[in-house]
Amino acid sequence: MQRARLSAASAGVLTLAALLAACSSKPVDKTAGWSPNRIHAEAKDELNSGAYDKAIPLYESLEGRAAGTPLAQQAQLDKAYAQFRDGQKPEALATLDRFMRLHPASPAIDYALYMKGVINFNDELGLFSFLSRQDLSERDQKAAKEAFESFNELVTRFPDSRYAPDARARMRYTVNALAQYEVHVARYYYTRGAYVAAINRAQQAIADYRDAPALEEALYILTQSYDKLGMNDLRDDSKRVLDQNYPNSAYLTRGFRGADKPWWQIW
């Protein structure tokens, strides 16, 4: 009987100890007594020092603490930037989408669109891609298309935005990359003898991306593919267009460009 009482008492002590341990391990909110301005200052310091993982939760606290104020809106945008720099690209895009959904009339919508474009643009153009000499046009183009859409919406809705000039420059690059992607696929089909498929992709590039540098090669692929298929009239038509638009085309004298230097590399 006495042993049973002791066991029950011991179990009670152990349970209490476990509860105390659980309470002691609960995260402490260091910002509990801080003003919104102090949270903002601390988050900005962490952001500027590159401690993005520390800045993100501070901006999240600020969103709640300053709800309904311009400071809370700024916190969302700064959090998106911190997430982007911390490598959390899907989370950053989700934060920007939420911002634009909640604040459609905000004067910072142009910045949100610009950031969406930059995140997808950088996802496509990885910082160290040149080390592997991988042609950017050979990658999946989903991110490039989404970047273009964001930049295009920015320059259409806010043509005088401070971010518009850079957005237009990135759009030109993105269009060239998308055109080159179509031509890359067309070239792939051509080298494997799939001439009809090569023609289709080359024609797609010509129809969708006017004035892109890659269209010179697209016309050359058309000319060569029609020749392989014995479609001489279409071959001659394609060559005539190639001659008119690119009278000094190296493709007519040297064929396909070698793989020694990616099309996008200018250094």
Side-chain angles (χ1 to χ4, degrees):
M1 182 75 68
Q2 185 177 7
R3 180 177 299 175
R5 284 198 297 271
L6 288 173
S7 297
S10 299
V13 170
L14 291 173
T15 301
L16 179 60
L19 289 173
L20 291 173
C23 291
S24 65
S25 63
K26 184 178 180 180
V28 177
D29 182 5
K30 69 176 184 178
T31 70
W34 293 7
S35 68
N37 286 335
R38 182 181 175 186
I39 299 175
H40 181 251
E42 292 286 336
K44 188 174 181 180
D45 285 344
E46 298 290 8
L47 186 71
N48 291 338
S49 67
Y52 306 116
D53 58 326
K54 296 179 180 179
I56 292 168
L58 289 172
Y59 284 124
E60 289 173 346
S61 296
L62 183 57
E63 278 188 71
R65 201 75 57 84
T69 69
L71 191 58
Q73 294 185 32
Q74 186 61 49
Q76 291 180 41
L77 294 174
D78 289 338
K79 182 178 76 169
Y81 178 78
Q83 289 170 324
F84 165 51
R85 295 300 304 271
D86 197 45
Q88 302 179 36
K89 294 179 180 179
E91 292 82 357
L93 292 170
T95 298
L96 291 168
D97 285 335
R98 178 171 172 268
F99 173 85
M100 291 189 288
R101 185 174 65 253
L102 294 176
H103 313 289
S106 169
I109 288 291
D110 61 336
Y111 173 77
L113 287 168
Y114 177 73
M115 276 301 301
K116 280 194 67 175
V118 167
I119 290 169
N120 280 312
F121 186 86
N122 284 346
D123 185 53
E124 177 63 20
L125 309 183
L127 180 60
F128 298 109
S129 60
F130 68 92
L131 294 178
S132 64
R133 302 184 68 79
Q134 181 184 16
D135 189 328
L136 301 179
S137 66
E138 297 176 22
R139 302 183 184 183
D140 176 25
Q141 299 298 289
K142 181 175 182 293
K145 290 178 180 178
E146 291 179 351
F148 181 87
E149 289 172 1
S150 295
F151 291 139
N152 188 52
E153 184 176 356
L154 166 60
V155 301
T156 301
R157 292 178 59 187
F158 308 99
D160 299 323
S161 167
R162 60 184 293 190
Y163 307 106
D166 187 65
R168 291 188 183 96
R170 291 174 187 259
M171 284 174 66
R172 286 192 294 272
Y173 185 97
T174 303
V175 166
N176 291 342
L178 291 169
Q180 185 63 36
Y181 173 74
E182 294 294 333
V183 174
H184 170 81
V185 176
R187 189 191 322 122
Y188 172 88
Y189 285 134
Y190 176 82
T191 57
R192 283 154 181 77
Y195 304 120
V196 173
I199 289 168
N200 289 337
R201 294 310 285 258
Q203 288 177 333
Q204 189 72 41
I206 293 169
D208 291 347
Y209 307 107
R210 297 185 181 279
D211 301 322
L215 299 193
E216 179 183 357
E217 185 176 0
L219 287 167
Y220 178 72
I221 291 172
L222 279 181
T223 301
Q224 295 300 107
S225 297
Y226 284 133
D227 184 66
K228 294 291 186 181
L229 293 172
M231 304 172 73
N232 297 337
D233 290 342
L234 291 174
R235 175 201 64 197
D236 294 342
D237 288 341
S238 299
K239 186 175 182 301
R240 188 177 306 110
V241 175
L242 179 60
D243 287 334
Q244 289 174 352
N245 289 275
Y246 306 96
N248 300 314
S249 176
Y251 288 103
L252 294 175
T253 57
R254 290 181 291 181
F256 289 107
R257 180 178 55 242
D260 59 323
K261 185 176 181 179
W263 68 273
W264 49 269
Q265 188 171 334
I266 59 176
W267 56 84

